[in-house]
Coordinates of all heavy atoms in Angstrom, one line a residue:
G258 N 86.7 62.7 38.2 CA 87.9 61.9 38.5 C 88.8 61.6 37.3 O 90.0 61.3 37.4
E259 N 88.2 61.6 36.1 CA 89.0 61.3 34.9 C 88.7 62.3 33.8 O 88.1 61.9 32.7 CB 88.6 59.9 34.4 CG 89.2 58.7 35.2 CD 88.9 57.4 34.5 OE1 89.6 57.1 33.5 OE2 88.0 56.7 34.9
P260 N 89.0 63.5 34.0 CA 88.6 64.6 33.1 C 89.2 64.4 31.7 O 88.7 64.9 30.7 CB 89.1 65.9 33.8 CG 90.1 65.5 34.7 CD 89.8 64.1 35.2
E261 N 90.4 63.7 31.6 CA 91.0 63.6 30.3 C 90.2 62.6 29.4 O 90.0 62.9 28.2 CB 92.4 63.0 30.5 CG 93.5 64.0 30.8 CD 93.6 65.1 29.7 OE1 93.8 64.7 28.6 OE2 93.4 66.3 30.0
R262 N 89.8 61.5 30.0 CA 89.0 60.5 29.2 C 87.6 60.9 29.1 O 87.0 60.7 28.0 CB 89.2 59.1 29.9 CG 88.3 58.1 29.2 CD 88.5 56.7 29.7 NE 88.0 56.5 31.1 CZ 86.8 56.0 31.4 NH1 85.9 55.8 30.4 NH2 86.4 55.9 32.6
I263 N 86.9 61.3 30.2 CA 85.5 61.5 30.2 C 85.2 62.9 29.9 O 85.4 63.8 30.8 CB 84.9 61.0 31.5 CG1 85.3 59.5 31.8 CG2 83.3 61.1 31.5 CD1 84.8 59.0 33.1
R264 N 84.6 63.2 28.8 CA 84.2 64.6 28.4 C 82.7 64.8 28.6 O 81.9 64.1 28.0 CB 84.6 64.9 26.9 CG 86.1 64.6 26.7 CD 87.0 65.6 27.4 NE 88.4 65.3 27.2 CZ 89.0 65.8 26.1 NH1 88.4 66.5 25.2 NH2 90.3 65.5 26.0
R265 N 82.4 65.8 29.4 CA 81.0 66.1 29.6 C 80.4 67.1 28.5 O 81.1 68.0 28.2 CB 80.8 66.8 31.0 CG 80.4 65.8 32.0 CD 79.7 66.5 33.2 NE 80.3 67.7 33.6 CZ 80.8 67.9 34.8 NH1 80.8 67.0 35.7 NH2 81.2 69.1 35.1
I266 N 79.3 66.7 28.1 CA 78.6 67.6 27.0 C 77.2 67.9 27.5 O 76.5 67.0 28.0 CB 78.6 66.8 25.7 CG1 80.0 66.5 25.2 CG2 77.8 67.5 24.6 CD1 80.1 65.2 24.5
D267 N 76.8 69.1 27.3 CA 75.4 69.5 27.8 C 74.4 68.8 26.9 O 74.2 69.2 25.7 CB 75.3 71.0 27.7 CG 73.9 71.5 28.2 OD1 73.1 70.6 28.6 OD2 73.6 72.7 28.1
G268 N 73.7 67.8 27.5 CA 72.7 67.0 26.7 C 71.4 67.8 26.4 O 70.5 67.2 25.8
R269 N 71.3 69.0 27.0 CA 70.0 69.7 26.7 C 70.2 70.7 25.5 O 69.2 71.4 25.2 CB 69.6 70.5 28.0 CG 69.0 69.5 29.0 CD 68.9 70.2 30.3 NE 70.3 70.8 30.6 CZ 70.5 71.7 31.5 NH1 69.6 72.0 32.4 NH2 71.7 72.2 31.6
A270 N 71.4 70.8 25.0 CA 71.6 71.7 23.8 C 70.9 71.1 22.6 O 70.5 69.9 22.6 CB 73.1 71.8 23.6
A271 N 70.8 71.9 21.5 CA 70.2 71.4 20.3 C 71.0 70.2 19.7 O 72.3 70.2 19.9 CB 70.1 72.5 19.3
I272 N 70.3 69.3 19.1 CA 71.0 68.1 18.6 C 72.2 68.4 17.7 O 73.3 67.8 17.8 CB 70.0 67.2 17.8 CG1 69.0 66.6 18.7 CG2 70.7 66.1 17.0 CD1 67.9 65.7 18.1
E273 N 72.0 69.4 16.8 CA 73.1 69.8 15.9 C 74.3 70.4 16.6 O 75.5 70.1 16.3 CB 72.6 70.8 14.8 CG 71.7 70.2 13.8 CD 70.3 69.8 14.3 OE1 70.0 70.4 15.3 OE2 69.7 69.0 13.7
E274 N 74.0 71.1 17.7 CA 75.0 71.7 18.5 C 75.9 70.7 19.2 O 77.1 70.7 19.2 CB 74.4 72.6 19.5 CG 75.1 73.9 19.9 CD 74.3 74.7 20.9 OE1 73.1 75.1 20.5 OE2 74.7 74.8 22.0
I275 N 75.2 69.7 19.7 CA 75.9 68.6 20.4 C 76.7 67.8 19.4 O 77.9 67.5 19.7 CB 74.8 67.6 21.1 CG1 74.0 68.4 22.1 CG2 75.5 66.4 21.7 CD1 72.9 67.5 22.8

Side-chain angles (χ1 to χ4, degrees):
E259 281 188 80
E261 277 301 304
R262 174 175 69 92
I263 306 178
R264 303 296 178 82
R265 261 203 322 241
I266 295 148
D267 181 2
R269 285 162 316 169
I272 291 181
E273 287 73 21
E274 213 176 298
I275 299 176

